[in-house]
């Protein structure tokens, strides 16, 4: 169990527009050295800055390589009883969705979330001596402008669609002063959802820690169950992908 926070960098390949424009790459990466080098300027005024990270993946790294070296060890810790979190951070269009979700229909292109589902159930099945009894649940929580939204709740579908439309308009600069596409503050999206902490107490087993009260939890008995949920809530979202920002 490595309790330290780890920062991992993954570089995306150049876009079609960048290739057509003969754009020169300004970032290079070394998986072996775990370094990223940023190049500024040109000619005699070229400045190179090198940064080290816990792990580095290039544009040629596969989805499997990313999962095996990042999330697989975390899953082992979770099944040993430790709380863990993995999230992707970056500018719009840099490949967060590809890394986290990928293509559900093509096994080799699946991201870390579907791969994690398959790995969890594989471990539970293979080690029956360690895991005598288990129950796995899945939730989909969206946090938008500090508002909590339960994506598995039926009433959230229209709100999610409205948010996507609003985000697209923001990215393209099409929002007007009279725009009403964004959900109102009293939206049903956050009804009954509260961020609370259950620390446990004397004579009581360990609490749940920080969690969202009222969040829907769907019981899943196989990785295919997880993929089915993702098909419902990830694929509609992917149809509204935003362009890479300049």
């Amino acid at each position: 169990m490595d309790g330290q926070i780890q920062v991992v960098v993954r570089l995306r390949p150049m876009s079609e527009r960048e290739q057509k424009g003969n754009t020169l790459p300004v970032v290079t990466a070394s998986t072996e050295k775990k370094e990223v080098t940023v190049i500024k300027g040109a000619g005699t005024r070229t400045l190179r800055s090198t940064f080290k990270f816990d792990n580095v993946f290039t544009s040629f790294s596969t989805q499997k390589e990313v999962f095996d070296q990042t999330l697989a060890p975390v899953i082992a810790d979770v099944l040993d009883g430790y709380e863990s979190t993995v999230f992707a951070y970056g500018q719009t269009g840099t490949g967060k969705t590809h890394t986290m979700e990928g293509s559900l229909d093509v096994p080799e292109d699946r991201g870390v979330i579907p791969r994690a589902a398959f790995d969890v159930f594989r471990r539970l099945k293979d080690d029956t001596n360690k895991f005598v009894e288990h129950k796995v649940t899945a939730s989909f929580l969206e946090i938008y402008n500090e508002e909590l939204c339960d994506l598995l709740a039926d009433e959230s579908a229209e709100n999610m669609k409205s948010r996507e439309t609003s985000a697209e308009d923001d990215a393209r600069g099409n929002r007007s002063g009279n725009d009403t596409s964004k959900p109102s503050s009293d939206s049903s999206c956050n009804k009954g959802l509260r961020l609370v902490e259950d620390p446990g107490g004397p004579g009581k087993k360990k609490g749940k820690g920080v969690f969202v009260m009222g969040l829907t939890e769907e019981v899943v008995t196989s990785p295919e169950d997880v993929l089915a949920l993702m098909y419902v809530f990830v694929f509609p979202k992917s149809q509204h992908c935003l362009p890479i920002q300049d």
Side-chain angles (χ1 to χ4, degrees), residues 49-65:
S49 301
T50 300
F51 305 90
K52 293 188 69 70
F53 296 92
D54 294 297
N55 217 327
V56 171
F57 297 98
T58 71
S59 58
F60 300 102
S61 299
T62 65
Q63 297 282 64
K64 184 179 186 301
E65 290 173 341

Side-chain angles (χ1 to χ4, degrees), residues 15 31 74 91 108 143 146-147 158 195:
S15 67
T31 300
V74 174
Q91 185 182 17
E108 58 266 27
I143 304 177
E146 300 184 6
E147 183 178 90
E158 187 62 31
L195 188 63

Side-chain angles (χ1 to χ4, degrees), residues 119 166 228:
D119 198 40
S166 176

Side-chain angles (χ1 to χ4, degrees), residues 82-142:
Y82 296 97
E83 294 183 357
S84 301
T85 299
V86 176
F87 68 91
Y89 178 84
Q91 185 182 17
T92 299
T94 51
K96 300 184 300 297
T97 301
H98 175 70
T99 296
M100 298 299 286
E101 301 166 2
S103 172
L104 303 185
D105 293 322
V106 184
E108 58 266 27
D109 287 339
R110 287 171 180 162
V112 296
I113 295 177
R115 287 177 183 273
F118 279 89
D119 198 40
V120 166
F121 283 101
R122 178 189 63 79
R123 293 172 187 258
L124 291 174
K125 180 181 179 180
D126 291 348
D127 198 344
T128 54
N129 292 327
K130 183 176 181 180
F131 306 110
V132 178
E133 182 179 352
H134 65 267
K135 176 182 178 182
V136 182
T137 62
S139 299
F140 279 79
L141 174 70
E142 177 192 62

